[in-house]
Amino acid sequence: MSAGSAQTQGNNPVKEVLSAVVRFAGDSGDGMQLAGTQFTETSAIVGNDIATLPDFPAEIRAPAGTVAGVSGFQINFAATDIHTPGDIVNALIAMNPAAFKAHIDDVETGGIVIVNDSEFEKVNLRKAGYPEGYNPLDDDQFNQKFKVYRIPITRLNQESLADTGMGAKDIGRCKNMFALGLIYWMYDKPLDTTIQYLENYFGKKKKLPQVAQANVTSLKAGFHFGETADIFATRYHVAKAPITPGKYRKITGNEALAIGLVTASHLAEKTLIYCSYPITPASDVLHYLAAMRNYGVKTFQAEDEIAAVCSAIGVAFAGQLGVTGTSGPGLALKAEAVGLAVMTELPMIILNVQRGGPSTGLPTKTEQSDLLQALFGRNGDCPVVVLAPKSPGDCFDTAIEAVRIAFRHMIPVMILSDGYLANGAEPWMLPDAHSFDKIPVEHPTDADTFEPYARDENLARPWAIPGTPGLEHRLGGLEKEHISGNVSYDPENHQTMTDLRHEKIQKVCEFIPAIEPHGNAAGDLLVLGWGGTYGSIITAVDNARKAGHSVSAAHLRYLNPLPQNLGELMSRFKKVLIPELNTGQLRMLVRAKYLVDAKGLNKIQGKPFLIEEIEQAIELMLDGSWGSRESLTPRAHQVTVDS
Amino acid sequence: MTTAIPDAPKLTAKDFASDQDVRWCPGCGDYAILNQVRKVAAKLGSRREKTVFVSGIGCSSRFPYYMNTYGFHTIHGRAPALATGVKIANPELDVWVVTGDGDGLSIGGNHLMHILRRNVNVNIMLFNNRIYGLTKGQYSPTSEEGKKTKSSPMGSIDLPLSPLSLALACEASFAARAIDVDRGLAAILERAALHKGTSFVEIYQDCNIFNHKAFNYATDKQAKLENTVTLEHGKPLIFGKDRNKGIMIDANHKPQVVTIGQDGVSEADLLLHDEHDERLAFTLSRMNHPDFPEPMGVYYDIEDDCYETMLDKQVADAVKAKGPGTLEDLFNAGDIYTVEG
């Protein structure tokens, strides 16, 4: 928490701080995601800049009370411009011993730890894996290091709802709102956004007014407890961030992808047909789009990943906007069909919301390890365009850009999002609906001049669609004869067509912007990144620059084709560092393509980079202690040359 | 289904032939099917531009290249999935799926199952030759037990499945069986084409290279009289060269072959075919040679809603209830807040 001036309001002094990182943690059934989302919503509405990191187990309900079942939600809210959910936690809310155990190491020294004391009893302590007779709350090592507040949240919540006539179980379900109310008080935030949400969701949508009322009561009880209990020395206030004036909403990456795709379909005057098979962390895109039928959106929940991609290809063949969405394991299943889309040169979008791999891997955790799969994971020489958004809000623009490229070049385009972007949220300024260029689409109708594999100046073939008289033609996975599109096994033709499929990708280069460095155009070190690591990289580079280092950042949205000036940009820096949440996939490409001795900071821990980790890597690169090592890995948030 | 355009000239079977040389082996049963399909398309007044043939991989899946319509020769087993996408995108199109026993029942079994239960309005022709032809003669999911092939030199130990039993279990709204060289094929394809919903037609097809005469019992002029029974709605199941044999349901609810005039059996005792009776259709699908004559014709035909129509209706209903969403609405959904200058 950044220091600021203290002021007084009522009995409790309110201390002004520039930013705060709060983490809600509890059992996966404790409603921590809801508490976190509501806190985020309120923070955004009062004008803070926000960045969030939900962190939940793959199991819907892992055994209650165990460390495996802990669900967390971290939010960084600030009076300044921020790009990450924060390296270190200023205030932890731990609803049970397991949550305490799982998250206490991330709290800053001197930080606030609010525990639900009611749950720190024998059974739960045992479930959390603490030795018999040990309670960490009685342990001086924690009490000396943190400001630990033992609040019997379960009991207080029960007492505040004792008159409702509700059962103990239902009452217990409201305790997240008690905790949220307390945190609202502690950070001087209004309750009305959450009250409105509870009344709408439980009261109107679920038709459970009693439940709505009980949640509101708990929320207020938590707030008033903070006010009257007089055990907290200080409250904190985070002022409005200097955000560009305008209308905003909070947006997650998956929401932004959904909205971006719908926007693109309207700009192209095509029906968006989203074909997908449920998979974490991509399913929310399907959920959002399924609720958008009135925007003309059709969703098709296919029987499997292969059917999902194949039906999207069928949609493209029939002349509409076919999109399939998945995560890494699903992309592997779709590989053969993506090859069919490449061979038939049909425009379609493949979303891959990456997660930890290989195999089932870490379904709910983030990673960037599908880059090479996206680029090369198919039989044959089979190039597709690959784009990666850099922030939750950028998912919107990336989706539109992907559709624009697909339609202009008659080519499948893959979007590489990740679990961190998908579930993370940030403020999103509402775009002007009239500010977008249309996405032009042409379908040929002239039977006399039509050739299925003739090409325009971008090497795109004509998108002739069924229903057009005289343009009947047959597509397929067999090699096509140049121009006529008939099946051809001719050796020279196969060479020509393979070359054309590659040249088509290079043509896209002519339409994409040059990569611009953030910072000076030349210097000692360039930190090159792609995708969801943008926020951490940019913040670390800004900090290093403030410390007087000659460092710049550059971020790739286009992974295939790469921007034309990338090699030239790198040549202006003495050293290149590539931080990635994989073992060095972009680094391998950059080294192979540009013969640049790029170094890697590689983290494969299911979590995004901390700013600090990148800062440390920058230091090691600049002071020369990195040496000839090709890569380093942070261990327990420390990057050292011994790691 | 096809709606003829009044002022468009009626096309002939020849008009549905593409300029590509047909490359099936000489004598292959596929030729007969191709000819019948072209004739049926002409007879029904199909429009070339509104017709799409979608196939997977295998000998049968070369079919789209030989039709002068839109076509898509996809990847192994995936034709039903791709065809579903085509129909969702444009329900007006007349979509045919061409598949085989390997493509449709083995590698693509899952997609076949789901297109049937969704009742997407396409016509599926499953060419069953009980062998893998294109990969040169391995046993297929419909090859008989004990079949010796290159991949089963000691005899196949796989139990074959019945395509029709499978289709019915997958909630098919139309299921039929026909034979490549039989005159009845055209009539069955016509009905399949006119059926609203997924129509599934199993076609016995002779692979004269790797499994020649596999269906001789059902195609030989004399043998077929004893080994097949033609289904007609509301009519008794009678067969035999003297038309004196029939199928009766016994006290255990099982079909049995009986002779009219023997043991007091008369025509009135015979099983009457009912195309709307699901259980009967399933019973028929379990009647296999040599224990029973194999039923040919339409097993099952009911009316039900089609997937793509219901999806369109949901879109229309949502637009009616909420109004057609604009980009303005899209951006302004959710909790909006204003940051003042």
Side-chain angles (χ1 to χ4, degrees):
Chain A
M1 208 175 314
S2 320
S5 62
Q7 63 181 70
T8 320
Q9 184 186 308
N11 295 328
N12 301 84
V14 175
K15 192 175 170 190
E16 201 64 34
V17 290
L18 287 177
S19 70
V21 176
V22 172
R23 188 183 291 174
F24 295 87
D27 215 41
S28 53
D30 278 346
M32 293 297 97
Q33 300 302 319
L34 176 62
T37 312
Q38 280 303 309
F39 194 86
T40 307
E41 199 80 50
T42 297
S43 301
I45 288 173
V46 301
N48 299 140
D49 195 2
I50 52 157
T52 71
L53 177 67
D55 180 19
F56 37 83
E59 294 78 15
I60 301 300
R61 294 276 194 280
T66 63
V67 173
V70 173
S71 170
F73 189 104
Q74 181 170 319
I75 167 172
N76 185 3
F77 53 107
T80 58
D81 188 20
I82 53 163
H83 302 285
T84 79
D87 279 13
I88 193 148
V89 174
N90 303 131
L92 171 71
I93 298 85
M95 296 298 278
N96 66 7
F100 180 89
K101 194 178 184 188
H103 294 288
I104 192 68
D105 289 345
D106 297 336
V107 181
E108 67 172 343
T109 303
I112 298 164
V113 178
I114 296 171
V115 297
N116 178 5
D117 201 26
S118 317
E119 302 295 327
F120 280 67
E121 42 73 39
K122 208 173 160 188
V123 176
N124 285 335
L125 287 163
R126 193 192 313 133
K127 280 185 190 164
Y130 284 116
E132 207 65 35
Y134 173 84
N135 186 342
L137 303 183
D138 300 329
D139 188 334
D140 279 349
Q141 65 151 316
F142 296 116
N143 288 310
Q144 282 163 9
K145 192 174 175 192
F146 309 112
K147 285 180 232 148
V148 179
Y149 296 99
R150 301 173 66 156
I151 319 280
I153 294 176
T154 305
R155 184 169 58 79
L156 292 171
N157 178 62
Q158 249 158 19
E159 282 166 9
S160 61
L161 296 177
D163 302 338
T164 57
M166 282 167 68
K169 211 172 164 185
D170 287 337
I171 287 177
R173 286 207 181 106
C174 298
K175 66 177 181 287
N176 60 336
M177 288 300 117
F178 187 96
L180 178 62
L182 179 58
I183 300 304
Y184 276 150
W185 174 82
M186 175 166 274
Y187 286 99
D188 192 23
K189 294 206 181 295
L191 302 182
D192 35 332
T193 307
T194 299
I195 291 174
Q196 206 178 9
Y197 165 82
L198 293 168
E199 283 171 350
N200 279 336
Y201 182 76
F202 290 112
K204 290 182 186 145
K205 199 169 165 202
K206 296 263 168 181
K207 306 225 182 305
L208 297 166
Q210 198 199 9
V211 174
Q213 193 45 53
N215 275 286
V216 171
T217 304
S218 290
L219 182 77
K220 287 181 175 169
F223 190 91
H224 295 141
F225 175 79
E227 208 164 42
T228 54
D230 215 22
I231 54 173
F232 298 99
T234 329
R235 299 171 76 194
Y236 302 91
H237 182 260
V238 175
K240 285 182 182 184
I243 296 176
T244 313
K247 279 166 92 183
Y248 282 82
R249 66 194 270 198
K250 181 204 76 178
I251 203 161
T252 64
N254 275 350
E255 266 180 302
L257 279 176
I259 294 171
L261 289 170
V262 177
T263 304
S265 74
H266 282 224
L267 295 175
E269 293 174 16
K270 287 288 177 193
T271 301
L272 168 61
I273 304 178
Y274 186 71
C275 310
S276 188
Y277 185 74
I279 184 168
T280 303
S283 304
D284 276 342
V285 180
L286 174 62
H287 305 159
Y288 292 128
L289 290 172
M292 292 190 187
R293 294 260 195 274
N294 66 312
Y295 291 91
V297 176
K298 297 185 192 177
T299 50
F300 173 56
Q301 182 177 312
E303 59 270 24
D304 59 29
E305 296 282 358
I306 299 173
V309 62
C310 286
S311 51
I313 296 172
V315 168
F317 177 58
Q320 301 296 350
L321 173 54
V323 181
T324 188
T326 189
S327 185
L331 186 66
L333 286 164
K334 293 180 197 293
E336 185 194 11
V338 174
L340 178 67
V342 168
M343 183 61 98
T344 52
E345 303 190 30
L346 285 168
M348 67 174 302
I349 307 296
I350 303 128
L351 302 181
N352 178 14
V353 185
Q354 300 166 98
R355 64 191 219 185
S359 188
T360 314
L362 305 173
T364 59
K365 312 293 181 196
T366 199
E367 209 162 281
Q368 294 183 298
S369 48
D370 291 343
L371 176 59
L372 295 182
Q373 181 183 212
L375 291 165
F376 305 115
R378 292 166 290 282
N379 62 304
D381 277 314
C382 190
V384 299
V385 173
V386 179
L387 309 182
K390 64 180 183 183
S391 69
D394 189 46
C395 288
F396 172 81
D397 300 296
T398 306
I400 297 172
E401 174 70 352
V403 175
R404 211 177 273 288
I405 293 173
F407 283 177
R408 190 201 294 126
H409 299 269
M410 286 293 282
I411 204 163
V413 178
M414 201 176 292
I415 298 175
L416 284 181
S417 180
D418 62 46
Y420 165 64
L421 296 180
N423 293 314
E426 66 176 355
W428 182 61
M429 183 154 86
L430 307 193
D432 174 2
H434 306 291
S435 66
F436 299 94
D437 293 333
K438 290 265 175 214
I439 298 177
V441 181
E442 266 181 64
H443 298 298
T445 51
D446 183 1
D448 295 333
T449 57
F450 174 67
E451 292 283 1
Y453 275 69
R455 287 170 198 284
D456 68 9
E457 68 279 11
N458 296 323
L459 301 180
R461 68 174 197 86
W463 192 7
I465 54 172
T468 319
L471 269 54
E472 295 84 5
H473 63 285
R474 274 65 57 191
L475 295 179
L478 290 169
E479 182 59 286
K480 298 283 163 287
E481 187 180 66
H482 184 39
I483 314 285
S484 78
N486 288 330
V487 172
S488 168
Y489 303 115
D490 178 71
E492 288 300 321
N493 179 73
H494 182 48
Q495 182 76 55
T496 302
M497 294 304 280
T498 301
D499 293 345
L500 276 167
R501 285 187 283 268
H502 281 273
E503 284 166 34
K504 268 182 84 162
I505 300 279
Q506 293 315 310
K507 278 279 173 192
V508 176
C509 251
E510 296 171 13
F511 295 86
I512 69 175
I515 184 165
E516 297 288 345
H518 174 83
N520 295 350
D524 292 342
L525 178 66
L526 179 72
V527 185
L528 179 67
W530 68 277
T533 52
Y534 171 79
S536 314
I537 291 175
I538 217 80
T539 311
V541 166
D542 277 341
N543 292 347
R545 291 174 62 77
K546 276 181 210 149
H549 293 308
S550 167
V551 185
S552 299
H555 209 76
L556 291 166
R557 167 188 268 182
Y558 302 85
L559 279 317
N560 197 35
L562 289 163
Q564 278 166 320
N565 67 326
L566 178 58
E568 191 269 323
L569 173 71
M570 287 190 292
S571 72
R572 287 190 255 131
F573 290 84
K574 291 181 192 152
K575 293 177 180 176
V576 176
L577 171 68
I578 305 182
E580 286 180 275
L581 300 176
N582 61 40
T583 53
Q585 300 190 6
L586 177 65
R587 182 175 84 243
M588 187 180 120
L589 289 171
V590 164
R591 290 171 80 100
K593 184 164 174 169
Y594 301 101
L595 300 176
V596 167
D597 185 20
K599 307 294 189 189
L601 178 66
N602 299 100
K603 180 176 178 181
I604 309 98
Q605 297 162 17
K607 289 179 182 253
F609 278 117
L610 299 185
I611 298 162
E612 185 189 3
E613 292 166 340
I614 296 172
E615 284 172 352
Q616 291 166 9
I618 290 172
E619 289 288 344
L620 293 173
M621 284 287 283
L622 289 175
D623 69 15
S625 51
W626 187 293
S628 59
R629 293 165 186 82
E630 191 176 328
S631 68
L632 288 176
T633 293
R635 289 284 176 188
H637 306 167
Q638 293 301 313
V639 185
T640 64
V641 287
D642 304 323
S643 66
Chain B
M1 234 26 309
T2 309
T3 33
I5 303 166
D7 54 359
K10 200 163 156 67
L11 302 172
T12 66
K14 231 176 151 180
D15 293 322
F16 284 92
S18 74
D19 60 358
Q20 298 293 298
D21 295 330
V22 183
R23 293 189 186 179
W24 288 312
C25 307
C28 175
D30 290 358
Y31 284 93
I33 305 171
L34 178 62
N35 287 334
Q36 294 301 327
V37 170
R38 287 172 177 167
K39 276 183 198 163
V40 167
K43 186 177 174 197
L44 293 175
S46 300
R47 304 304 308 168
R48 282 193 304 232
E49 71 274 15
K50 290 188 74 179
T51 308
V52 184
F53 280 82
V54 182
S55 64
I57 294 293
C59 293
S60 61
S61 289
R62 296 298 177 102
F63 201 97
Y65 292 121
Y66 310 135
M67 293 296 295
N68 189 10
T69 63
Y70 284 90
F72 210 137
H73 178 208
T74 73
I75 45 179
H76 212 359
R78 317 304 171 202
L82 200 132
T84 299
V86 171
K87 282 299 279 189
I88 291 173
N90 186 353
E92 297 296 307
L93 297 172
D94 223 338
V95 177
W96 295 70
V97 170
V98 190
T99 185
D101 40 320
D103 186 66
L105 302 172
S106 196
I107 194 166
N110 195 30
H111 310 306
L112 183 64
M113 171 172 148
H114 291 278
I115 196 171
L116 286 164
R117 81 177 166 89
R118 291 190 185 109
N119 204 32
V120 179
N121 190 10
V122 304
N123 315 311
I124 300 175
M125 296 187 289
L126 185 138
F127 296 12
N128 182 5
N129 56 17
R130 295 185 179 161
I131 199 78
Y132 283 177
L134 197 65
T135 50
K136 300 190 169 54
Q138 300 82 4
Y139 62 97
S140 88
T142 53
S143 294
E144 59 276 19
E145 247 185 308
K147 186 164 194 75
K148 289 189 177 173
T149 71
K150 280 180 197 158
S151 60
S152 57
M154 296 171 70
S156 162
I157 51 174
D158 285 25
L159 191 68
L161 62 74
S162 155
L164 285 165
S165 297
L166 180 86
L168 291 161
C170 296
E171 315 292 345
S173 61
F174 182 96
R177 180 189 278 151
I179 300 176
D180 52 5
V181 293
D182 194 272
R183 272 185 309 177
L185 173 63
I188 290 169
L189 290 178
E190 247 180 79
R191 283 201 47 194
L194 293 167
H195 173 75
K196 190 167 79 62
T198 312
S199 39
F200 178 83
V201 184
E202 178 194 13
I203 304 173
Y204 283 176
Q205 174 247 322
D206 186 43
C207 172
N208 61 326
I209 305 295
F210 295 108
N211 204 16
H212 192 33
K213 298 196 170 175
F215 298 105
N216 210 31
Y217 66 91
T219 54
D220 176 83
K221 248 183 191 162
Q222 288 308 310
K224 74 176 181 186
L225 300 175
E226 299 299 326
N227 295 329
T228 65
V229 54
T230 304
L231 300 173
E232 285 180 85
H233 183 60
K235 300 265 176 70
L237 273 69
I238 299 179
F239 66 104
K241 67 179 192 308
D242 301 323
R243 303 285 297 163
N244 65 338
K245 290 185 186 165
I247 301 296
M248 215 177 90
I249 297 294
D250 70 14
N252 296 319
H253 310 288
K254 289 186 172 157
Q256 98 182 104
V257 176
V258 293
T259 306
I260 299 165
Q262 271 182 22
D263 304 323
V265 172
S266 74
E267 200 177 311
D269 299 317
L270 298 183
L271 175 61
L272 293 180
H273 184 45
D274 179 355
E275 290 174 354
H276 315 312
D277 184 337
E278 188 179 59
R279 278 174 300 175
L280 171 60
F282 192 78
T283 300
L284 295 173
S285 78
R286 308 306 292 169
M287 286 170 47
N288 293 320
H289 178 74
D291 299 334
F292 292 98
E294 292 187 341
M296 298 294 155
V298 177
Y299 282 55
Y300 191 58
D301 182 3
I302 57 154
E303 266 191 46
D304 209 348
D305 292 330
C306 300
Y307 183 90
E308 66 278 18
T309 316
M310 289 190 286
L311 183 54
D312 275 359
K313 188 174 178 302
Q314 283 197 344
V315 171
D317 289 350
V319 169
K320 205 170 159 191
K322 300 180 187 169
T326 65
L327 291 186
E328 206 103 318
D329 303 331
L330 181 68
F331 302 152
N332 280 281
D335 288 318
I336 306 299
Y337 58 96
T338 303
V339 174
E340 307 290 350

